[in-house]
């Protein structure tokens, strides 16, 4: 169990006696809990650790959060996909070598927001403000949507909040297979269950504590059988010797077991990272070979594979997906107009400034 | 505490326990000392039979150069311990100027050796040094402080924490060799060479010594030995080619193809060397309409050349 990793719980004083806090603490019996005024106390403590990022993933902080919904920031100069994010959890107990949260949330413990009433008010305001629009929204931006679900029970809670709101697609994105709670309720048609996928070799070497590929795919099959639509993210795609046959096998296995009609979207994005992540990742994952590749510093200051290589990778992916008629489900995550333009015909859709709307909306 | 005139002879300048600054007096400072002497008192403290300099190394050095015999000194009481005296030395300089990373490393080491605990060092001192207040920063600083003479190079070229962290991944022998190699280069050249050697070492899974035995690099290193001024630039372009083979290869092909077009002198054909953009940029420099007409005519003639097509093929290249 992922939550077995948690070695200490901190509670923000404001919410320490709340019903939600008690419910979560009940599931963490035997783990030391301490009340603090704010997150600074924990961050201060983490500073003295040899690995603040790794340590932060083992500390749970139950707190009140000020706001929850925001547009996905994307990257300046990239084609945006019109995504919105809900941040109910911050940080992730899984430990992927390429994860930007290592830099973005450095010093932030695993944080669960307990003020659901405030969240619900904000969400309802969002629903009425965006009424009539068709939007994608997800909880997997600053956390894994399901990794802490056994504690938070957020998936079922969100499912009920989104039920009956067909124009708002809620994506729950994960690298786990922790679906039990959602499979126990009446499926919600506008909930999309999504998995990030990589070949077993990459999962093994770069995605610590995540579920193996076959478990993720088994979970996806179960989700479809229960009536959910699913999505898949090949992101980051890693270039390494043997990448073509490995990724092609993943696509074959996926599309032989999940019918393409049940797939809402597939995103593609090659490995990219901010230069500051490089220092942290090299320190935390000294044996990871993925950062030794040739990169260019692209228009947004991030390291990316050279464009000729990215084009080749995307072209191969689209060809492999086309064999299963799934190529028109594709969008590129954080890619330039140059890359989009190269594939507009092949993926039979797309705009130059936005990956949205998707074909089934138009 | 009292201010008094002190002779340089009374100081044991071999005892550098409080020294963490590496700047030497520059000509301007020496001229000023020659003109008016030392005005601002140095700080000293009695230890055993002699007095130890706590703060004012640059002034003392300037005084020696200018043969100033006596200079004003603020003498601390003997009962003040080394940690307190060093804290004073640190904050006196802190208010006056920015420290280099090398000096920060020395300061951290002194605090550490004088008994300041890690928690205080991380929580209280590192924020003053404008460095991430974390254990790993302290580890880097302490390791850096043990570099001895190498610290001078790191100080002079104002290295940043990231470069230092990469540098420390090399073995002691490699560090020495690397510092000796880059000591005359600029800050940016040093940074890039450390980064690229670090990448190549990881990618090739070989030591620096082996990498440097590769014929092209070895012949470039010969230029360093001969003290040739072009050595730094040559090594950099060689390392860029080695660490970014795809982009370097395509850049090289682009450059050769552009050269083959033999464009008029006042025409410049540019492209994005990262190859993120697939367009060409044509820059014309003209001083009259007639000149522009001539240039455009000449360019139109050149358009028949097959190399133009090749340029766009390279810019739109797909592949590994």
């Amino acid at each position: 169990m992922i939550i077995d990793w948690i070695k200490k719980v901190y509670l923000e004083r404001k919410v320490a006696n709340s019903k939600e806090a008690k419910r979560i603490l009940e599931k963490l019996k035997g783990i030391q809990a301490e009340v603090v005024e704010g997150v600074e106390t924990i961050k201060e403590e983490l500073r003295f650790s040899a690995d603040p990022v790794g340590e932060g993933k083992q500390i749970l902080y139950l707190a009140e959060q000020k706001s929850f919904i925001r547009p996905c920031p994307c990257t300046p100069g990239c084609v945006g996909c019109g995504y919105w994010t809900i941040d109910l959890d911050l940080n992730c107990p899984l430990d992927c070598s390429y994860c930007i949260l290592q830099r973005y949330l450095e010093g932030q413990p695993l944080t669960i927001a307990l003020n659901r009433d405030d969240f619900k008010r904000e969400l309802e305001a969002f629903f009425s403000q965006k009424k009539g629009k068709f939007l994608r929204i997800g909880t997997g931006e600053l956390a894994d949507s399901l990794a802490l679900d056994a504690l938070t029970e957020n998936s079922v809670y969100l499912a009920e909040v989104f039920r009956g709101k067909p124009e708002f697609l809620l994506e729950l994105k994960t690298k786990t297979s922790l679906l039990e709670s959602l499979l126990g309720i009446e499926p919600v048609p506008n909930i999309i269950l999504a998995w990030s996928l990589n070949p077993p070799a990459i999962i093994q070497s770069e995605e610590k504590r995540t579920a193996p590929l076959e478990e993720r795919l088994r979970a996806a099959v179960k989700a479809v059988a229960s009536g959910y639509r699913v999505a898949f993210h090949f992101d980051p795609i890693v270039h390494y010797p043997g990448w073509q046959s490995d990724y092609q096998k993943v696509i074959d296995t996926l599309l032989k077991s999940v019918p393409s009609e049940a797939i809402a979207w597939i995103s593609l994005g090659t490995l990219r990272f901010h230069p500051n992540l490089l220092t942290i990742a090299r320190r935390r994952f000294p044996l990871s070979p993925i950062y030794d590749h040739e990169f260019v510093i692209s228009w947004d200051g991030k390291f990316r594979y050279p464009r000729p290589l990215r084009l080749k990778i995307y072209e191969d992916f689209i060809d492999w997906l086309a064999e299963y008629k799934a190529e028109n489900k594709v969008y590129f995550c954080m890619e330039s107009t140059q890359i989009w333009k190269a594939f507009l015909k092949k993926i039979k859709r797309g705009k130059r400034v936005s990956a949205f709307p998707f074909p089934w909306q138009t | 505490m009292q201010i008094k005139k002190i002779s340089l002879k009374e100081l044991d300048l071999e005892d550098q326990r409080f020294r963490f600054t590496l700047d030497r007096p520059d000509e301007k400072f020496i001229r000023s000392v020659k003109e008016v002497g030392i005005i601002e008192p140095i700080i000293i403290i009695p230890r055993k039979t002699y007095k130890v300099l706590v703060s004012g190394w640059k002034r003392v050095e300037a005084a020696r150069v200018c043969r100033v015999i006596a200079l004003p000194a603020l003498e601390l009481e003997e009962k003040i311990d080394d940690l307190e005296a060093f804290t004073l030395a640190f904050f006196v300089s802190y208010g006056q100027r920015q420290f280099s990373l090398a000096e920060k490393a020395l300061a951290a080491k002194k605090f550490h050796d004088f008994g300041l605990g890690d928690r205080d060092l991380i929580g209280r001192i590192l924020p003053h040094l404008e460095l991430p207040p974390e254990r790993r920063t302290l580890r880097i600083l302490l390791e850096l402080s043990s570099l001895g003479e190498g610290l001078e190079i790191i100080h002079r070229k104002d290295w940043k924490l990231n470069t230092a962290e990469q540098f420390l991944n090399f073995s002691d022998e490699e560090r020495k060799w690397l510092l000796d190699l880059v000591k005359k280069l600029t800050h940016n050249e040093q940074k890039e060479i450390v980064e690229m050697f670090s990448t190549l070492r990881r990618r090739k899974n070989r030591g620096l010594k082996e990498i440097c035995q590769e014929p092209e690099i070895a012949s470039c290193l010969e230029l360093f030995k001969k003290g040739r001024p072009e050595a730094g630039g040559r090594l950099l372009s060689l390392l860029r080619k080695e660490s970014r083979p795809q982009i370097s290869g395509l850049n090289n092909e682009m450059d050769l193809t552009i050269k083959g077009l033999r464009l008029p002198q006042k025409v410049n054909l540019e492209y994005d060397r990262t190859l993120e953009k697939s367009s060409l940029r044509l820059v014309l420099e003209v001083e009259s309409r007639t000149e522009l007409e001539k240039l455009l005519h000449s360019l139109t003639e050149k358009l028949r050349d097959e190399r133009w097509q090749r340029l766009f093929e390279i810019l739109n290249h797909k592949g590994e």
Side-chain angles (χ1 to χ4, degrees), chain A residues 70-303:
Chain A
R70 62 189 170 91
C72 180
C74 198
T75 288
C78 282
V79 178
C81 68
Y83 202 68
W84 287 78
T85 69
I86 293 176
D87 305 324
L88 274 171
D89 304 346
L90 291 181
N91 210 347
C92 174
L94 313 177
D95 203 2
C96 300
S97 63
Y98 51 73
C99 182
I100 187 60
L101 297 185
Q102 295 176 92
R103 184 185 84 90
Y104 194 61
L105 297 178
E106 201 179 1
Q108 178 79 32
L110 289 176
T111 305
I112 296 176
L114 297 188
N115 48 328
R116 277 185 175 177
D117 292 343
D118 294 335
F119 164 66
K120 207 170 170 193
R121 266 193 294 279
E122 191 179 326
L123 188 64
E124 273 159 10
F126 177 81
F127 284 154
S128 61
Q129 196 189 349
K130 304 285 177 193
K131 202 173 176 184
K133 289 183 180 165
F134 198 87
L135 290 178
R136 294 191 310 146
I137 188 162
T139 58
E141 177 83 359
L142 298 182
D144 182 285
S145 297
L146 298 177
L148 293 175
D149 203 45
L151 285 179
T152 64
E153 299 172 19
N154 277 340
S155 64
V156 170
Y157 168 72
L158 286 168
E160 297 309 335
V161 178
F162 273 78
R163 194 186 288 281
K165 305 262 185 311
E167 70 273 39
F168 297 102
L169 294 183
L170 174 69
E171 182 182 40
L172 300 177
K173 187 160 55 178
T174 187
K175 287 193 186 101
T176 74
S177 54
L178 304 168
L179 276 190
E180 293 78 8
S181 323
L182 277 173
L183 297 185
I185 61 166
E186 177 72 18
V188 184
N190 53 320
I191 288 208
I192 311 292
L193 296 175
W195 281 268
S196 297
L197 300 180
N198 251 318
I202 296 296
I203 293 177
Q204 174 84 17
S205 68
E206 313 296 332
E207 299 181 354
K208 234 162 90 184
R209 291 186 212 143
T210 64
L213 177 68
E214 59 274 24
E215 265 188 42
R216 295 184 211 179
L217 293 181
R218 261 202 304 272
V221 171
K222 269 193 206 173
V224 172
S226 305
Y228 285 100
R229 272 195 300 168
V230 290
F232 299 97
H233 299 275
F234 289 94
D235 193 357
I237 300 168
V238 180
H239 181 254
Y240 62 97
W243 69 278
Q244 280 167 304
S245 70
D246 283 2
Y247 278 104
Q248 194 174 5
K249 266 185 219 159
V250 177
I251 289 178
D252 285 341
T253 319
L254 166 68
L255 290 161
K256 277 177 185 161
S257 43
V258 176
S260 73
E261 311 81 69
I263 300 176
W265 54 77
I266 296 170
S267 79
L268 302 180
T270 53
L271 179 66
R272 62 207 172 271
F273 52 91
H274 191 278
N276 284 353
L277 176 69
L278 190 61
T279 321
I280 301 172
R282 282 219 162 119
R283 198 185 311 133
R284 298 196 65 236
F285 301 94
L287 298 177
S288 168
I290 64 172
Y291 294 104
D292 299 334
H293 201 280
E294 176 178 0
F295 295 105
V296 290
I297 293 200
S298 50
W299 69 94
D300 55 355
K302 284 182 186 165
F303 282 111

Side-chain angles (χ1 to χ4, degrees), chain B residues 152-169:
Chain B
E152 277 285 337
I153 298 165
I154 290 172
H155 168 71
R156 278 204 307 272
K157 295 296 155 70
D158 198 20
W159 282 28
K160 302 294 175 229
L161 195 65
N162 277 353
T163 309
E165 188 170 6
Q166 284 195 55
F167 174 74
L168 291 174
N169 286 328

Side-chain angles (χ1 to χ4, degrees), chain B residues 58-111:
Chain B
K58 220 160 90 173
R59 276 163 284 165
V60 166
E61 215 169 309
R64 284 165 84 182
V65 172
C66 302
R67 297 173 202 267
V68 174
I69 298 157
L71 59 169
L74 179 73
E75 186 168 327
L76 304 177
E77 288 173 39
E78 193 169 5
K79 66 178 181 190
I80 291 178
D81 69 21
D82 281 355
L83 178 58
E84 284 176 284
F86 182 69
T87 307
L88 186 79
F90 175 78
F91 281 104
V92 164
S93 301
Y94 179 77
Q96 292 171 349
R97 67 179 184 89
Q98 290 275 331
F99 301 135
S100 69
L101 184 69
E103 290 173 324
K104 291 173 185 181
L106 283 176
K109 174 82 168 110
K110 302 278 176 188
F111 274 121

Side-chain angles (χ1 to χ4, degrees), chain B residues 178-285:
Chain B
L178 202 48
L179 281 178
D180 194 48
L181 181 77
V182 300
K183 64 186 173 198
K184 288 184 181 157
L185 305 181
T186 64
H187 165 92
N188 284 343
E189 288 170 334
Q190 290 187 345
K191 176 176 175 266
E192 209 180 338
I193 285 178
V194 169
E195 272 171 13
M196 288 192 294
F197 267 133
S198 171
T199 304
L200 287 178
R201 205 175 61 128
R202 291 171 57 92
R203 201 182 285 166
K204 297 181 180 213
N205 198 18
R206 289 156 69 188
L208 207 47
K209 208 171 171 182
E210 283 173 90
I211 293 172
C212 292
Q213 278 165 357
E214 290 172 15
E216 271 193 299
I217 298 183
S219 73
C220 189
L221 294 177
E222 281 300 312
L223 296 177
F224 273 92
K225 275 189 197 157
K226 291 176 188 160
R228 298 274 287 271
E230 74 271 28
R234 284 275 280 277
L235 180 63
L236 269 171
S237 57
L238 196 56
L239 291 178
R240 282 182 197 135
K241 195 175 102 186
E242 281 273 318
S243 55
R244 301 195 274 272
Q246 184 178 31
I247 291 295
S248 298
L250 292 170
N251 280 172
N252 194 35
E253 207 185 334
M254 283 293 289
D255 295 343
L256 286 175
T257 313
I258 290 173
K259 206 172 165 189
L261 281 171
R262 293 175 188 276
L263 295 172
Q265 263 193 346
K266 290 190 166 183
V267 176
N268 208 1
L269 197 52
E270 298 167 355
Y271 65 98
D272 171 17
R273 295 188 77 83
T274 68
L275 300 179
E276 280 301 303
K277 289 183 188 161
S278 53
S279 53
L280 284 174
R281 222 167 77 97
L282 199 60
V283 182
L284 309 178
E285 196 190 326

Side-chain angles (χ1 to χ4, degrees), chain A residues 9 11 16 20-29 33 62:
Chain A
V9 183
L11 295 111
E20 289 299 317
K22 282 178 188 153
R23 181 178 60 75
I24 291 173
L25 285 177
E26 189 65 25
K27 296 179 185 184
L28 292 167
K29 274 187 178 154
L62 308 178

